[in-house]
Amino acid sequence: MKHRIVVLGAGYAGAGAAGRLARRLHPGNTEITLVNAEPDFVERVRMHQLAVGQDLKPRPLADMFEGTGVRLRLTRVSSVDVDRNTVTVLDSDGADEIEYDTLVYALGSVWNDHGVPGAAERAYEIASRPGALRLRERLARANAGQTVTVIGGGLTGLEAAAEIAEARPDLNVALATAGDLGDRFSPKAQEHLSKVFAGLGVTVHEHAEVARVEDGAVVTLDGREIPSAVTVWTAGFAVHPIAVATPMETTGTGQIIVDGTMRSISHPDVYAVGDAGYAMGDTGEPLRMSCASGTPMAWQAADAIAARLTGGKCPHVPLRYFNQCISLGRKEGLIQYVTANDRALSFSLRGRIAARYKELVCKAAAWGVANPTLGMPVRRKRIALEAASARTTSAAAIKRRTVVDRTATGPNTSSGRSRRVRR
């Protein structure tokens, strides 16, 4: 029998993990299935470009995984049963179950409206391709002189505001941020950001936490009313609710708690990578939701799974940060160098060289998904039967302990089902 590895989600983390596993494990006794709702790999870091009308290079998953042995299943995940080791999927043909021996959970995240009244009904999001396309259609209908207000001063918000202002100089673009503009950057980087926004004509509303989104306006907690014909929401992400509905140990926000190898601390058959996993970096601090976190998490999980199945030594992939890369339209950029735990250093790249740097990073990220071993030759190893047997016995023992713990804590409620870690 083949060892069945199922990967849920084909974003940067999921697709990277599947490809890396396919290059590490021999197809003679392993079977890798990648489950994704869309047929194409989506460059999520470019959704602000898609929203303003730019056409992105198509990246069909079938072409990306051709010849690797990875089986592509285009369907939507509806639930996961970690006690029965099954995934329920739903498509036009109805519901189906996929069985697994090892599961890599990489369903990523969606936009988070934080329960702000009117946000879900009236704001546009760019955390997904469908969301970016909806905003694209709306911006195409926007009349000159109308105001587009971007909510959120994080990296996504900064990129969206700059991209829209550059592509549509006839619109009044505003950015509402809960803190100071670019307060995560070094002083010189903040100065550059302010200069670029001023040149693009972006109006910045600082210390403007949003209380509600109305038709034609955004209202802040301190009572300010910001005109907004089109509101773009970029204030954070939320994970899919599938994991929190299982007995797996998750955080209060629904991320699966994992160890240093991205393995669930409660269910060793499951690995969580990307935004779906709650992992500690090399500095002992939690990794933030980002492509910069998801890619090394995927590499770590894939290498750990391969090592455990083949009886090899489990390697350690560095889990740290080096820089934050921000595009400010097509001609300007900002590269903020950071410490291992993501704190701003004094050094940064700015201007056109930073824009080119960011473009190379985006291209490298997509190339890395298709080339998860970075072009280096690897030997595809067969599973060691002894290692696989020991792994199955260990997993069964941990599951039994988890069931006992759940029984001891009471009925199947959120507190009895799993320990929640509040953040």
Side-chain angles (χ1 to χ4, degrees):
M1 291 181 63
K2 291 188 176 184
H3 187 91
R4 300 161 299 182
I5 301 174
V6 175
V7 182
L8 305 182
Y12 290 98
R20 198 169 176 96
L21 283 165
R23 289 161 175 79
R24 295 252 187 264
L25 297 172
H26 196 283
N29 53 4
T30 56
E31 180 181 275
I32 302 171
T33 301
L34 177 60
V35 181
N36 198 58
E38 298 186 45
D40 296 324
F41 171 72
V42 176
E43 292 185 87
R44 193 173 182 182
V45 296
R46 292 187 186 273
M47 290 300 96
H48 56 286
Q49 296 177 237
L50 183 66
V52 299
Q54 297 172 31
D55 293 325
L56 305 183
K57 179 182 178 180
R59 297 183 185 276
L61 291 169
D63 293 346
M64 187 176 291
F65 289 99
E66 184 179 5
T68 65
V70 173
R71 299 173 57 192
L72 183 61
R73 183 78 183 268
L74 298 178
T75 184
R76 190 172 300 278
V77 178
S78 60
S79 65
V80 175
D81 189 329
V82 292
D83 293 323
R84 295 176 53 242
N85 284 35
T86 60
V87 175
T88 301
V89 296
L90 186 64
D91 54 28
S92 58
D93 295 327
D96 191 17
E97 281 192 346
I98 303 174
E99 297 181 337
Y100 67 84
D101 298 303
T102 296
L103 179 70
V104 180
Y105 187 102
L107 290 179
S109 61
V110 295
W111 74 301
N112 188 358
D113 63 16
H114 298 287
V116 173
E121 298 83 7
R122 299 183 179 93
Y124 292 83
E125 54 92 4
I126 55 172
S128 66
R129 178 179 171 83
L133 289 174
R134 282 193 291 271
L135 176 58
R136 177 178 178 143
E137 189 274 334
R138 179 62 185 89
L139 289 175
R141 292 188 288 108
N143 297 322
Q146 288 189 313
T147 298
V148 177
T149 301
V150 178
I151 309 300
L155 306 188
T156 304
L158 298 177
E159 292 191 321
E163 202 75 50
I164 295 170
E166 182 183 85
R168 291 292 306 273
D170 59 318
L171 298 175
N172 297 321
V173 179
L175 175 76
T177 176
D180 295 321
L181 178 65
D183 52 13
R184 69 178 62 196
F185 304 138
S186 64
K188 285 187 177 181
Q190 290 182 55
E191 181 182 345
H192 180 72
L193 181 61
S194 297
K195 179 181 177 181
V196 172
F197 270 32
L200 290 171
V202 177
T203 301
V204 179
H205 301 275
E206 297 181 321
H207 306 285
E209 191 169 349
V210 176
R212 63 184 183 275
V213 178
E214 299 179 345
D215 288 327
V218 171
V219 181
T220 65
L221 287 178
D222 58 8
R224 280 179 284 173
E225 188 171 297
I226 303 171
S228 183
V230 182
T231 301
V232 183
W233 193 274
T234 68
F237 302 98
V239 298
H240 287 279
I242 290 176
V244 78
T246 74
M248 286 188 288
E249 293 206 25
T250 62
T251 67
T253 56
Q255 289 176 290
I256 299 170
I257 305 173
V258 297
D259 63 15
T261 65
M262 306 305 117
R263 195 181 200 181
S264 165
I265 63 171
S266 62
H267 290 74
D269 293 330
V270 179
Y271 291 73
V273 296
D275 292 351
Y278 182 76
M280 295 296 170
D282 292 345
T283 63
E285 295 186 26
L287 297 175
R288 61 179 167 89
M289 291 184 179
S290 65
C291 176
S293 303
T295 297
M297 289 173 71
W299 292 354
Q300 178 63 79
D303 290 356
I305 293 169
R308 284 170 174 147
L309 290 178
T310 60
K313 182 179 179 181
C314 186
H316 171 71
V317 175
L319 298 171
R320 53 153 299 164
Y321 299 102
F322 298 94
N323 53 43
Q324 295 178 5
C325 305
I326 307 98
S327 64
L328 301 172
R330 297 298 87 206
K331 300 176 182 178
E332 284 281 353
L334 174 61
I335 309 300
Q336 175 64 67
Y337 289 92
V338 297
T339 62
N341 59 350
D342 213 25
R343 306 294 192 272
L345 295 170
S346 60
F347 182 61
S348 63
L349 290 179
R350 302 172 294 279
R352 289 184 178 272
I353 187 172
R356 289 195 290 268
Y357 188 115
K358 173 61 189 288
E359 179 62 23
L360 286 174
V361 168
C362 291
K363 289 182 177 179
W367 181 87
V369 171
N371 301 272
T373 57
L374 305 182
M376 299 295 291
V378 293
R379 184 166 66 90
R380 303 170 85 178
K381 298 181 180 179
R382 291 184 178 274
I383 292 177
L385 297 180
E386 297 81 1
S389 177
R391 178 186 175 282
T392 302
T393 302
S394 174
I398 293 177
K399 277 190 176 181
R400 284 195 296 271
R401 289 200 299 272
T402 303
V403 171
V404 171
D405 290 343
R406 292 208 311 273
T407 303
T409 55
N412 191 29
T413 62
S414 62
S415 59
R417 188 169 60 232
S418 63
R419 174 171 60 86
R420 305 290 182 212
V421 176
R422 300 291 173 185
R423 294 198 290 168

